[in-house]
C-alpha cells in the first residue's frame, strides 16, 4: 500500500513461477474443473446452407461468399434489423451457440434458438452475400475461436468483409469538444487491400477498435 500519492509500489507477481511448479500446484480436481469450463466455453456454429439440413460443421468445400457484413453490438444489430433485414429478401442460414459470463445460449440444436443473439442471414437473390447479426458478448478467449469457425467455412479469395460496431462518444478522442460533434457520426478503418472509395471519413489516431471488431 502506498504511503503517499505518487509513490511507486511494486505489486506481487507470479511471473517467476515456472510451469513445473504450477503443474504441481494443480490438483486433479482443478484440472477436471478447468477442462469442463474449457469445453463449456467452446463455440458451436450451426449452418443450414444446403437443403435445409442442420450441421455443426461446414461442408468439405468452403462455400463461396463475395460480401460478408458483420454487425457487432446491440446498436449495430438494431441498425441491420431496421434498415436491411426488414424485408423478405433474407433467410436465416446459421446461428452461433456460446456460453460465457455475459451470454447464455440455448442447448437446443435448432438452427434458430429463441435466446440466440448471433444469427447469419443469406440474401435470397444472391446467396454469396451474407450478414451476421451479433448482439451477444464474445469473451476474449472465445474471439479467435469465433473467427476461426466462421471464416473457416468461407472461401477467402474475393471476399469483402465489412464490420459495423459502435462505441460511446465519450470514448472518442479528439481535440474538439465532444459537445459540438454530431451524434451519431460514422468513421471508418480499412485495410490496404480495400481499393474502393470509403463512404465516410477515416478514424483518426489515437482512436482504436477493441474486442471482436478488432479481432
Amino acid at each position: 500500500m502506498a504511503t503517499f500519492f505518487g509513490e511507486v509500489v511494486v505489486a506481487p507477481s507470479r511471473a517467476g513461477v515456472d510451469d513445473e511448479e504450477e503443474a504441481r500446484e494443480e490438483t486433479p480436481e482443478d484440472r477436471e474443473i478447468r477442462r469442463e469450463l474449457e469445453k463449456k466455453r467452446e463455440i458451436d456454429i450451426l449452418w443450414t446452407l444446403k437443403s435445409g439440413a442442420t450441421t455443426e460443421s461446414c461442408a468439405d468445400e468452403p462455400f463461396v461468399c463475395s460480401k460478408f457484413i458483420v454487425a457487432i453490438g446491440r446498436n449495430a444489430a438494431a441498425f441491420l434489423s431496421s434498415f436491411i433485414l426488414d424485408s423478405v429478401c433474407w433467410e436465416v442460414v446459421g446461428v452461433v451457440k456460446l456460453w460465457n459470463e455475459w451470454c447464455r445460449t440455448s442447448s437446443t440444436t435448432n438452427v434458430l434458438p429463441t435466446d440466440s443473439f448471433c444469427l447469419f442471414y443469406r440474401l435470397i437473390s444472391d446467396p454469396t452475400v451474407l450478414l451476421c447479426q451479433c448482439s451477444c458478448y464474445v469473451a476474449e478467449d472465445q474471439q479467435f475461436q469465433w473467427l476461426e469457425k466462421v471464416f473457416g467455412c468461407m472461401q477467402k479469395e474475393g471476399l469483402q468483409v465489412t464490420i459495423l460496431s459502435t462505441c460511446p462518444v465519450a470514448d472518442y478522442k479528439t481535440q474538439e469538444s465532444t459537445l459540438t460533434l454530431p451524434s451519431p457520426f460514422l468513421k471508418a478503418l480499412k485495410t490496404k487491400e480495400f481499393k474502393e472509395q470509403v463512404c465516410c471519413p477515416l478514424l483518426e489516431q489515437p482512436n482504436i477498435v477493441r474486442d471482436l471488431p478488432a479481432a
Side-chain angles (χ1 to χ4, degrees):
M1 180 180 294
T3 57
F4 62 90
F5 180 75
E7 180 183 3
V8 177
V9 179
V10 179
S13 173
R14 291 176 54 85
V17 179
D18 57 23
D19 294 337
E20 293 182 0
E21 184 176 350
E22 288 186 348
R24 287 195 299 270
E25 293 178 356
E26 189 178 43
T27 65
E29 292 79 7
D30 293 336
R31 287 194 295 270
E32 182 64 24
I33 292 173
R34 179 169 51 83
R35 282 194 295 266
E36 289 297 325
L37 284 175
E38 290 176 353
K39 183 177 180 181
K40 194 170 185 178
R41 295 177 74 90
E42 290 182 0
I43 293 177
D44 293 320
I45 301 181
L46 307 179
W47 296 101
T48 56
L49 291 168
K50 292 184 178 180
S51 65
T54 302
T55 176
E56 292 193 8
S57 61
C58 55
D60 296 335
E61 292 292 331
F63 56 82
V64 178
C65 183
S66 61
K67 289 182 173 59
F68 183 41
I69 302 173
V70 187
I72 301 174
R74 296 186 181 277
N75 291 334
F79 175 82
L80 279 190
S81 295
S82 300
F83 296 100
I84 298 180
L85 294 172
D86 189 20
S87 67
V88 294
C89 301
W90 302 88
E91 60 179 349
V92 177
V93 293
V95 63
V96 174
K97 294 164 54 180
L98 57 87
W99 181 96
N100 56 46
E101 297 81 359
W102 299 102
C103 182
R104 303 287 192 273
T105 62
S106 174
S107 59
T108 180
T109 57
N110 294 333
V111 71
L112 187 58
T114 56
D115 58 351
S116 174
F117 297 98
C118 191
L119 297 173
F120 296 92
Y121 298 85
R122 179 169 58 186
L123 185 62
I124 296 177
S125 60
D126 185 356
T128 66
V129 178
L130 291 182
L131 297 179
C132 177
Q133 195 177 32
C134 182
S135 59
C136 61
Y137 172 73
V138 181
E140 289 186 1
D141 62 313
Q142 296 175 314
Q143 292 171 9
F144 177 77
Q145 188 184 165
W146 192 97
L147 296 167
E148 187 179 44
K149 292 193 175 182
V150 171
F151 288 97
C153 293
M154 302 179 186
Q155 290 185 1
K156 309 299 187 300
E157 185 177 356
L159 173 61
Q160 182 186 100
V161 181
T162 302
I163 310 295
L164 304 175
S165 65
T166 59
C167 69
V169 176
D171 292 345
Y172 180 62
K173 297 175 177 62
T174 178
Q175 294 181 348
E176 304 177 30
S177 171
T178 55
L179 296 176
T180 62
L181 293 172
S183 182
F185 60 89
L186 191 64
K187 298 286 183 175
L189 288 174
K190 69 181 186 68
T191 62
K192 61 182 179 180
E193 287 80 12
F194 186 80
K195 304 301 182 183
E196 299 181 19
Q197 184 177 359
V198 181
C199 63
C200 62
L202 295 178
L203 184 66
E204 309 90 345
Q205 295 182 353
N207 293 287
I208 61 174
V209 177
R210 298 181 176 87
D211 301 323
L212 187 60

